Amino acid sequence: MNWGVFEGLLSGVNKYSTAFGRIWLSLVFIFRLLVYLVAAERVWSDDHKDFDCNTRQPGCTNVCFDHFFPVSHIRLWALQLILVTCPSLLVIMHVAYREAKEQRLRETKGDNYRCIYPNPGKKRGGLWWTYLLSLIFKASVDMVFLYIFYRFYRNYTLPRVVKCELPPCPNVVDCFISRPTEKNIFTLFMVVTTCVCVVLNIIEATYLIGKRCRECLQAKGGDSRQ
């Protein structure tokens, strides 16, 4: 990974975000991305290798593992992090589009140039809608993945022993999950941080809408007085 490019993207997202957005970005980067890269990925690295069933029937262990772990936690978290960070990059791209448009007008019209975007990063017009929709999308993605985790892993917890009777298992066999307590701790940690991120996105969206409504009311009040 090119950390220089990644740092530039993060600084750009941080530059055009509100205070709530900066808190959200710090939470995602420190408590979700770094925990995922440094610790969580290693915890689940042996989930299939150390999934033991008390039978030697060929194929039984693989079938039971696929039944109880239809999708790996790690792969779901990776997909979730990708989807939840992409909308922030769209905001940067929208600002870059504004700046490029300003540059083209400045070059073509010369002295007759009239500035369209005095501050390209100011959340007005289309950029305001882009930013608001990005918040809604990020909150929706996190809530969808919370539901997926809940459906796949009931109550977000893993039992120490699971009973499996799927073919080709000869009978009901006991299967043992490796390090279930450690995995449960990381799962609950990721769930809690995801919930906090959803709350921050909702608060930020409410703040943007409320601020916009207040500005519209003030503008209408000024026009009526005139």
Side-chain angles (χ1 to χ4, degrees), residues 98-115:
R98 283 185 165 188
E99 293 175 345
K101 188 176 181 179
E102 283 285 317
Q103 182 66 25
R104 288 196 302 270
L105 290 174
R106 188 180 299 111
E107 292 175 354
T108 56
K109 294 188 177 181
D111 296 336
N112 298 324
Y113 163 72
R114 183 175 65 87
C115 184

Side-chain angles (χ1 to χ4, degrees), residues 173-226:
V173 298
D174 293 333
C175 296
F176 304 90
I177 299 173
S178 65
R179 296 187 286 184
T181 302
E182 188 175 9
K183 291 178 179 178
N184 285 331
I185 291 173
F186 275 100
T187 300
L188 292 176
F189 177 83
M190 297 296 277
V191 168
V192 170
T193 53
T194 300
C195 292
V196 174
C197 287
V198 171
V199 172
L200 285 173
N201 285 327
I202 294 174
I203 292 175
E204 188 175 10
T206 305
Y207 166 77
L208 285 177
I209 295 173
K211 182 179 179 181
R212 185 66 172 172
C213 292
R214 186 176 66 251
E215 291 174 352
C216 291
L217 291 175
Q218 290 176 351
K220 289 182 180 179
D223 294 339
S224 62
R225 284 193 298 270
Q226 290 178 0

Side-chain angles (χ1 to χ4, degrees), residues 39 65 79 111 130 219:
F65 180 83
L79 181 60
D111 296 336
T130 300

